[in-house]
Amino acid sequence: MKLNRAEKALMNNAVRSWIQRHYEAPLLTRLGGRCPGARAVEIGCGRGVGTEIILGQFGAAHVLAVDLDPGMVDLARVHLARFGDRVDVRVGDATQIPAQDDSVDAVFDFGIVHHIPDWRSALAEVARVLRPGGRFYFEEVTRHALERWTYRTFLEHPDHDRFSAEQFVAAVEDHGMKVADTWRTVFFSDFVVGVGVAA
Ligand SMILES: C[S@@+](CC[C@H](N)C(=O)[O-])C[C@H]1O[C@@H](n2cnc3c(N)ncnc32)[C@H](O)[C@@H]1O
């Protein structure tokens, strides 16, 4: 589902970009390494900061970036214009990733799967497009956070089938991506960050 106005304001600002660049990307790199030369996908790219990080900090060669919200896609296209044909930004749904089976080296999820009512179908899509050995880098918001008063009052999320950190990691593994010990909870288990490797 699309973000409400409050969450758009929370996402589209310099503090969010700083956290992505200086906390989430280094933690994901420690857990799963960089992916130099990769053909990558970012699901739920928002205004495009994650794709910039995937190209720069992770060293990917090309990123297909999709987001459900045409307004976010417009922002991302402007933000990423300088990368030319290294990026392909499209309106799209993480439950129907526009890529062939086994064709992608890395998929990135910076806090989007918890917005999808049928979130397991997004994990199935990630598993479908990743080649064997390809990596799924995830940073997710757990049920623990979504049940807080602040989230319930100001933000909108699917209200059923929310996941804990352990349930999310188990579902990633159920879809054939090995996580083992390459995951962490962050901030009192409000967030889960990790990397799965496709079989
Ligand atoms: C919390 S924001 C995160 C944006 C960005 N990844 C970041 O970390 O700043 C979630 C994004 O996922 C998008 N989104 C929600 N459901 C989606 C879906 N089913 N497929 C693709 N994008 C989706 C929203 O429009 C929004 O831009």
Side-chain angles (χ1 to χ4, degrees):
M1 58 196 282
K2 293 181 190 170
L3 308 187
N4 69 9
R5 284 171 60 156
E7 194 164 1
K8 274 193 183 164
L10 268 181
M11 289 296 113
N12 296 344
N13 67 72
V15 174
R16 169 69 192 140
S17 308
W18 193 93
I19 292 169
Q20 265 187 292
R21 279 185 225 289
H22 298 290
Y23 182 73
E24 293 173 5
L27 177 53
L28 284 169
T29 306
R30 280 202 298 283
L31 292 170
R34 296 173 69 246
C35 51
R39 295 195 71 78
V41 168
E42 184 185 8
I43 52 174
C45 63
R47 68 177 179 137
V49 173
T51 290
E52 185 186 4
I53 290 169
I54 297 162
L55 292 167
Q57 293 177 231
F58 286 88
H62 184 271
V63 181
L64 167 63
V66 296
D67 198 287
L68 203 58
D69 184 337
M72 289 296 212
V73 167
D74 288 345
L75 291 176
R77 284 195 175 128
V78 171
H79 187 78
L80 297 166
R82 70 182 185 283
F83 292 103
D85 62 8
R86 292 181 66 199
V87 297
D88 177 359
V89 190
R90 300 191 202 172
V91 176
D93 191 327
T95 64
Q96 292 180 306
I97 299 173
Q100 302 288 316
D101 297 1
D102 300 343
S103 63
V104 168
D105 303 303
V107 177
F108 287 78
D109 154 25
F110 287 105
I112 148 196
V113 171
H114 67 285
H115 276 281
I116 304 176
D118 181 13
W119 56 274
R120 287 180 181 81
S121 65
L123 295 185
E125 273 296 270
V126 172
R128 179 185 69 76
V129 302
L130 276 178
R131 66 162 171 80
R135 276 170 264 172
F136 176 40
Y137 295 82
F138 55 85
E139 176 267 317
E140 266 309 323
V141 183
T142 68
R143 173 173 90 195
H144 197 257
L146 300 181
E147 287 169 2
R148 288 186 188 279
W149 177 83
T150 41
Y151 278 80
R152 285 188 283 114
T153 306
F154 298 110
L155 310 180
E156 288 171 12
H157 295 95
D159 58 7
H160 68 283
D161 197 21
R162 293 173 169 177
F163 49 78
S164 65
E166 291 76 12
Q167 286 167 335
F168 188 76
V169 170
V172 172
E173 292 219 315
D174 285 348
H175 285 88
M177 296 171 279
K178 188 171 170 50
V179 185
D181 63 350
T182 54
W183 66 284
R184 302 284 180 273
T185 57
V186 176
F187 195 74
F188 308 109
S189 293
D190 277 13
F191 304 93
V192 57
V193 180
V195 180
V197 179

